Amino acid sequence: MPKTCRACHRGMNMSISGEEGSCLSCHGSTVNRTAMQERGYLGKQPGVLKNIEAELVKPYRHPVLDVKGVHRQGEALPEEIVNATRHSECVDCHDPHLVSSEAPFRGLKGRRVGNFIADIKDEYELCYRCHSSSANLPVDSTDKHLEFKVTNRSFHPVEGEGRNKYVISLLEPYNETQERQGDVSIISCSSCHGSDEIDGPRGPHGSRFRGLLKYNYEMDDGRNESYYAYQLCYTCHDRNSILGDESFSLHSLHILGDRSRGEAGTSCFTCHDAHGSQQNQYLIRFNEDVVRPAANGRLEYKAQGVASRHGSCTLSCHGVEHDALSY
């Protein structure tokens, strides 16, 4: 912990270099941290603080070092001004006077309770400050709350336990509902988004993987399947179960392709939206860059029953027409 207020507040230091410079004096490189300790601003805590600055220069990151001095004192988030500059500074996610390692977003408001905005309770409420109903949400971004809503037909269990009680590929300790001590039935945004290094700092500061993901996730069509290609999915979902067609009789054909015909497989992303689907069970939401409407103009998936391994698709994919093709 800093020993004095002057550890952060020194003359015009924060005004000139932005709050990032002050934060990274302790949360950056070992050299900077050692200098702070030698100057008496920071206690000796070897191994506790990690290098956030190294995360913020990775290919996929929150743009903390890219856009400086944009945060406004007392600004409201989600953003209410349409043309406000998108930004992400340390103080947008952390209150430096109240933050602790156990409560990294303590003191921040963002949870809507009726007509009031209350203190954030769960991590997704922090993420929604910028990735939900912001007036300046980019046109190529989506409202994450709409994707995770517990009233959707399916969703990854971030806001609450999932509705689909038949996910037979789940690896322990994950479970559709918490039945036993130790079961994990609710995950967080940072279950998927965060540092690509196992011993890296917690939180979605930066990653070498697209989407600021913790593990690799191939989203393009025509890629060869491997554990690494879909490591993000296989962290929670049993690869052997999926390739063994336990949940869907043609699962492996879609992912592996038909090698006898020289056809490569397609990504999980082609059929599933990893956040949620308002229309379909099992996170089915087709990537329309790959999956097109069938000749009859329909693009749809129909499941049979609530917990069934059967359904049908009407679509066109890889030149193959599916006209209410059942499985």
Side-chain angles (χ1 to χ4, degrees):
M1 293 293 291
K3 287 187 173 180
T4 70
C5 298
R6 292 191 69 243
C8 302
H9 300 279
R10 281 169 282 151
M12 298 295 289
N13 179 59
M14 196 173 292
S15 299
I16 295 172
S17 62
E19 100 281 357
E20 296 89 356
S22 296
C23 297
L24 296 178
S25 295
C26 297
H27 296 276
S29 69
T30 302
V31 172
N32 288 345
R33 191 155 47 249
T34 300
M36 290 292 283
Q37 290 170 332
E38 291 175 348
R39 296 168 67 184
Y41 291 132
L42 181 67
K44 301 285 186 182
Q45 303 171 81
V48 175
L49 299 179
K50 296 192 175 182
N51 191 345
I52 303 295
E53 186 172 12
E55 300 291 307
L56 297 176
V57 295
K58 289 183 174 178
Y60 302 95
R61 59 190 181 268
H62 272 108
V64 175
L65 302 181
D66 302 358
V67 180
K68 296 183 178 180
V70 178
H71 178 82
R72 307 182 306 276
Q73 187 73 21
E75 72 179 1
L77 293 175
E79 182 62 60
E80 297 173 338
I81 302 173
V82 174
N83 60 354
T85 302
R86 296 278 289 180
H87 64 278
S88 176
E89 303 198 53
C90 303
V91 291
D92 287 309
C93 296
H94 307 289
D95 184 325
H97 294 125
L98 299 175
V99 67
S100 70
S101 59
E102 295 75 25
F105 38 83
R106 177 189 292 160
L108 295 176
K109 292 187 179 299
R111 183 163 57 98
R112 182 170 291 281
V113 181
N115 294 325
F116 299 95
I117 302 298
D119 285 354
I120 288 170
K121 180 180 176 185
D122 294 302
E123 182 192 68
Y124 67 84
E125 295 163 339
L126 173 66
C127 303
Y128 288 174
R129 280 162 57 99
C130 293
H131 298 284
S132 180
S133 57
S134 292
N136 62 347
L137 197 67
V139 293
D140 59 348
S141 295
T142 54
D143 185 329
K144 298 300 178 283
H145 168 56
L146 295 181
E147 296 173 352
F148 283 119
K149 282 172 60 175
V150 294
T151 54
N152 285 347
R153 294 296 302 278
S154 58
F155 49 87
H156 260 126
V158 169
E159 293 193 16
E161 288 186 337
R163 297 180 64 182
N164 298 158
K165 307 302 182 186
Y166 196 67
V167 189
I168 62 175
S169 65
L170 285 178
L171 293 165
E172 291 186 356
Y174 301 103
N175 200 1
E176 296 96 329
T177 56
Q178 187 170 33
E179 299 173 347
R180 306 175 297 271
Q181 187 175 10
D183 280 350
V184 175
S185 59
I186 294 177
I187 60 176
S188 65
C189 302
S190 60
S191 296
C192 296
H193 299 278
S195 175
D196 57 292
E197 299 174 43
I198 293 176
D199 59 350
R202 291 182 298 165
H205 300 103
S207 170
R208 62 189 169 100
F209 295 126
R210 180 167 59 174
L212 216 167
L213 294 170
K214 296 172 75 171
Y215 304 102
N216 189 46
Y217 178 37
E218 298 290 351
M219 299 172 70
D220 299 325
D221 189 35
R223 296 295 180 91
N224 291 325
E225 191 278 342
S226 68
Y227 179 79
Y228 177 76
Y230 304 114
Q231 186 176 4
L232 181 75
C233 308
Y234 292 151
T235 300
C236 300
H237 296 275
D238 187 347
R239 183 186 180 206
N240 291 326
S241 171
I242 291 172
L243 298 183
D245 294 336
E246 287 189 343
S247 54
F248 165 42
S249 59
L250 300 173
H251 227 158
S252 60
L253 176 63
H254 283 73
I255 300 171
L256 296 173
D258 187 343
R259 296 180 181 178
S260 66
R261 300 173 58 181
E263 296 174 353
T266 195
S267 169
C268 308
F269 179 70
T270 298
C271 298
H272 300 284
D273 186 317
H275 294 133
S277 174
Q278 294 179 311
Q279 293 80 31
N280 301 311
Q281 292 175 252
Y282 311 120
L283 300 178
I284 298 293
R285 181 171 176 269
F286 298 113
N287 173 12
E288 297 188 31
D289 289 339
V290 178
V291 183
R292 307 294 172 78
N296 58 18
R298 291 161 55 195
L299 175 61
E300 62 184 24
Y301 161 77
K302 289 185 177 180
Q304 293 181 358
V306 176
S308 169
R309 301 184 188 184
H310 305 286
S312 67
C313 289
T314 300
L315 51 85
S316 178
C317 188
H318 293 167
V320 179
E321 282 286 307
H322 297 51
D323 186 3
L325 183 64
S326 299
Y327 60 87

